[in-house]
């Protein structure tokens, strides 16, 4: 296999190392033929180029690995590679979430393979597990902790009392965070991963605006103090339920009892779960971010292409299904500053809630309500989202 590698940052350099250092006998016939870098100043090896055309027009390159990130020019490069009859493997969940249906169709039309295992769960073999489960079962529930950066922040704030910024800096230093880490903090990265997973399970491309999303931007020390008093752990949790032709998806900070598997997920680890009628619940745990775990997932895809491993069912996105936002419910913890207390409490009129003791702030816990209601009520309060923190109990 002759590979054109687009991008040689954290993930791309991991792929480069595994292949050129021959870390596995399965890659002994793999060769990184060309590496695309952005500028001529970044060219440090003979195989490097800053001209993408050199890769697309090289007929001896059969497979392209995209590890640049972002939508443009990743979209154009993936399209160009598929149209040049090259297999494509990518870790880029942003571009896959947006164009999964288009890339899948384009790969089929060009008789090549398009794989994206590393785009969800980093080193966790999740996409393959999901597709394998779908050989027998309809998957009716997908859930998990799908972001290493926010998981590191939550678990280290909780366990070591470190500040949000200290933890975020660690995640950046370790190469876990996105180029723009607001994508991690605000749940956008998890949303891309939930779009990919749920679209595969439903058989229809799920839209970003269909996913009810809260991130961890507003979390504070006082929240952890209160959760500790309940003996619970906070995780940024993603969930989709699928009932024949209906689905509902949410991403939100969620509390777990100490003995729940999710509570034990720390640092850059992810947990990815599914439910199918005959298999029941399956849970996969591993490093969701980082150079080698992510590169490992990319190289696994390359090995599948090289060995023509076609045991997984074809994916399609032509099902007629619709998003039904009221399918998911919960009891919600809402913490806010004294300044916006009136607005928040007015917005929750008609919903039963109980005030709870939180140091230096005001907080309540609602009765069981549809998840969409919490979004509607917080939005109608018209307060700055950095003044409110919401978590599901
Ligand atoms: P990095 O920023 O470390 O690497 C991206 C590399 O691509 C950089 O070297 C960048 O160059 C280069 N690049 C960007 N645009 C171009 C371009 N137009 N032409 C040539 N080179 C380009 O990011 P990561 O390696 O962390 O992430 C890469 C992808 O993998 C992203 O989609 C990310 O979401 C995904 N991913 C990352 C994981 C991780 O743990 N880091 C885990 C799972 C997925 P420059 O620095 O000059 O901009
Ligand atoms: N920024 C992502 C994370 C990278 O922290 O999980 C892995 O997808």
């Amino acid at each position: 296999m002759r590979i054109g590698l687009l991008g040689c940052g954290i993930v791309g350099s991991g792929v480069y190392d595994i292949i050129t250092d021959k870390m596995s006998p399965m890659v002994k016939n793999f060769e990184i033929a060309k590496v695309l870098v952005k500028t001529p100043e970044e060219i440090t090896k003979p195989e490097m180029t800053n001209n993408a055309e050199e890769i697309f027009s090289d007929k001896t390159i059969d497979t392209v690995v995209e590890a640049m990130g972002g939508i443009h020019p990743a979209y154009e490069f993936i399209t160009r590679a598929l149209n040049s009859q090259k297999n494509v493997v990518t870790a880029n969940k942003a571009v896959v979430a947006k164009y999964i249906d288009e890339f899948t169709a384009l790969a089929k039309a060009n008789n090549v393979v398009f794989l994206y295992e590393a785009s969800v769960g980093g080193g966790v073999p999740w996409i393959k597990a999901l597709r394998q489960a779908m050989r027998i079962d309809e998957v009716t529930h997908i859930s998990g902790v799908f972001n290493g950066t926010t998981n590191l922040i939550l678990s280290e704030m909780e366990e070591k009392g470190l500040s949000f910024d200290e933890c975020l800096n660690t995640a950046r230093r370790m190469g876990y965070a996105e180029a723009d880490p607001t994508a991690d903090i605000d749940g956008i990265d998890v949303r891309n991963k939930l779009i990919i997973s749920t679209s595969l399970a439903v058989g229809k491309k799920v839209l970003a605006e269909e996913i009810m999303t809260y991130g961890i931007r507003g979390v504070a020390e006082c929240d952890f103090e209160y959760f500790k008093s309940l003996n619970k752990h906070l995780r940024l949790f993603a969930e989709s339920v699928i009932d024949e032709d209906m689905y509902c998806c949410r991403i939100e900070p969620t509390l777990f009892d100490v003995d729940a598997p999710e509570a034990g997920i720390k640092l850059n680890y992810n947990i990815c779960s599914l439910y199918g009628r005959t298999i029941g619940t399956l849970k996969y745990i591993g490093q969701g971010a980082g150079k080698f775990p992510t590169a490992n997932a990319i190289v696994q895809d390359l090995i599948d292409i090289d060995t023509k491993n076609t045991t997984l069912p074809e994916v399609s996105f032509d099902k007629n299904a619709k998003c039904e936002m009221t399918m998911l419910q919960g009891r919600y913890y809402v913490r806010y500053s004294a300044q916006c207390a009136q607005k928040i409490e007015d917005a929750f009129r008609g919903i039963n809630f109980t005030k709870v003791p939180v140091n230096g702030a005001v907080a309540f816990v609602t009765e069981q309500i549809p998840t969409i209601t919490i979004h509607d009520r917080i939005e109608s309060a018209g307060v700055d989202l950095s003044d409110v923190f919401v978590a599901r109990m």
Side-chain angles (χ1 to χ4, degrees):
M1 175 181 275
R2 274 176 58 84
I3 298 157
L5 177 60
L6 311 180
C8 201
I10 302 282
V11 173
S13 66
V15 173
Y16 184 93
D17 290 352
I18 291 178
I19 292 174
T20 54
D21 294 350
K22 303 292 172 217
M23 291 189 192
S24 151
M26 299 291 285
V27 303
K28 69 175 189 299
N29 294 324
F30 291 9
E31 186 191 347
I32 305 279
K34 291 228 160 63
V35 178
L36 181 71
V37 293
K38 224 188 226 168
T39 61
E41 295 73 47
E42 289 171 84
I43 296 176
T44 54
K45 293 186 168 81
E47 62 270 44
M48 286 181 166
T49 173
N50 66 320
N51 177 7
E53 268 319 300
E54 279 187 29
I55 293 175
F56 304 129
S57 62
D58 185 338
K59 292 218 172 353
T60 70
I61 292 178
D62 48 281
T63 303
V64 162
V65 171
E66 187 273 307
M68 304 184 310
I71 304 293
H72 302 289
Y75 168 78
E76 289 76 11
F77 287 180
I78 291 174
T79 304
R80 180 91 172 83
L82 293 171
N83 278 329
S84 308
Q85 281 83 50
K86 299 185 193 309
N87 307 302
V88 171
V89 173
T90 181
N92 182 344
K93 51 266 163 149
V95 81
V96 176
K98 209 158 178 194
Y99 297 107
I100 189 169
D101 49 350
E102 193 176 321
F103 292 152
T104 302
L106 208 54
K108 193 172 179 187
N110 283 286
N111 204 21
V112 288
V113 182
F114 171 61
L115 293 176
Y116 38 89
E117 180 61 69
S119 68
V120 188
V124 182
W126 163 245
I127 298 289
K128 201 181 265 186
L130 177 59
R131 289 180 62 194
Q132 180 163 305
M134 289 171 64
R135 290 201 291 213
I136 296 177
D137 281 327
E138 279 180 12
V139 171
T140 54
H141 193 200
I142 285 170
S143 67
V145 172
F146 288 105
N147 184 271
T149 299
T150 46
N151 200 58
L152 184 147
I153 293 172
L154 295 179
S155 61
E156 290 288 271
M157 283 180 81
E158 180 181 79
E159 219 168 276
K160 300 195 181 140
L162 300 176
S163 75
F164 190 103
D165 288 343
E166 261 176 291
C167 298
L168 176 57
N169 285 338
T170 304
R172 296 185 88 163
R173 214 178 41 248
M174 299 295 288
Y176 305 153
E178 294 302 301
D180 174 3
T182 56
D184 296 296
I185 293 161
D186 293 330
I188 313 300
D189 178 75
V190 180
R191 194 172 70 189
N192 288 332
K193 293 163 175 169
L194 198 59
I195 289 174
I196 297 168
S197 307
T198 311
S199 297
L200 288 170
V202 174
K204 180 215 159 192
K205 186 154 79 83
V206 171
L207 305 174
E209 56 270 27
E210 293 174 332
I211 302 188
M212 297 176 277
T213 307
Y214 281 130
I216 63 159
R217 180 172 291 276
V219 73
E221 215 178 298
C222 60
D223 301 312
F224 289 105
E225 274 172 34
Y226 175 61
F227 301 151
K228 215 169 251 179
S229 75
L230 304 177
N231 213 11
K232 289 190 184 266
H233 294 277
L234 185 67
R235 297 290 178 260
L236 182 59
F237 191 65
E239 189 173 22
S240 295
V241 288
I242 303 158
D243 184 3
E244 294 186 355
D245 55 357
M246 287 190 304
Y247 58 91
C248 183
C249 317
R250 67 182 170 194
I251 294 157
E252 56 201 7
T254 303
L255 289 166
F256 289 94
D257 290 333
V258 274
D259 51 0
E262 287 73 11
I265 303 304
K266 296 182 184 170
L267 301 172
N268 63 324
Y269 277 73
N270 283 186
I271 182 167
C272 313
S273 313
L274 63 82
Y275 180 85
R277 192 167 62 92
T278 65
I279 192 66
T281 298
L282 279 175
K283 288 184 186 285
Y284 297 85
I285 295 172
Q287 293 186 73
K291 172 174 168 166
F292 280 119
T294 311
N296 179 300
I298 290 182
V299 177
Q300 291 285 6
D301 277 349
L302 293 173
I303 291 170
D304 278 340
I305 293 172
D306 189 53
T307 56
K308 300 193 172 33
N309 181 0
T310 52
T311 57
L312 297 174
E314 235 184 77
V315 297
S316 67
F317 302 100
D318 51 10
K319 183 145 177 216
N320 193 10
K322 75 173 192 347
C323 173
E324 177 47 68
M325 293 255 189
T326 54
M327 285 168 81
L328 286 165
Q329 310 203 333
R331 288 171 61 236
Y332 285 90
Y333 164 87
V334 182
R335 190 261 303 145
Y336 43 99
S337 61
Q339 293 94 292
C340 59
Q342 195 62 52
K343 282 183 178 169
I344 293 282
E345 288 166 26
D346 284 352
F348 279 77
R349 204 159 279 155
I351 291 175
N352 287 321
F353 61 77
T354 312
K355 288 264 176 85
V356 293
V358 172
N359 256 341
V362 201
F364 60 72
V365 174
T366 69
E367 62 183 323
Q368 179 96 351
I369 54 173
T371 299
I372 187 63
T373 302
I374 190 92
H375 284 258
D376 288 346
R377 297 293 175 109
I378 296 281
E379 200 181 320
S380 75
V383 296
D384 194 315
L385 271 186
S386 56
D387 285 336
V388 193
F389 181 68
V390 174
R392 186 159 51 85
M393 300 295 285

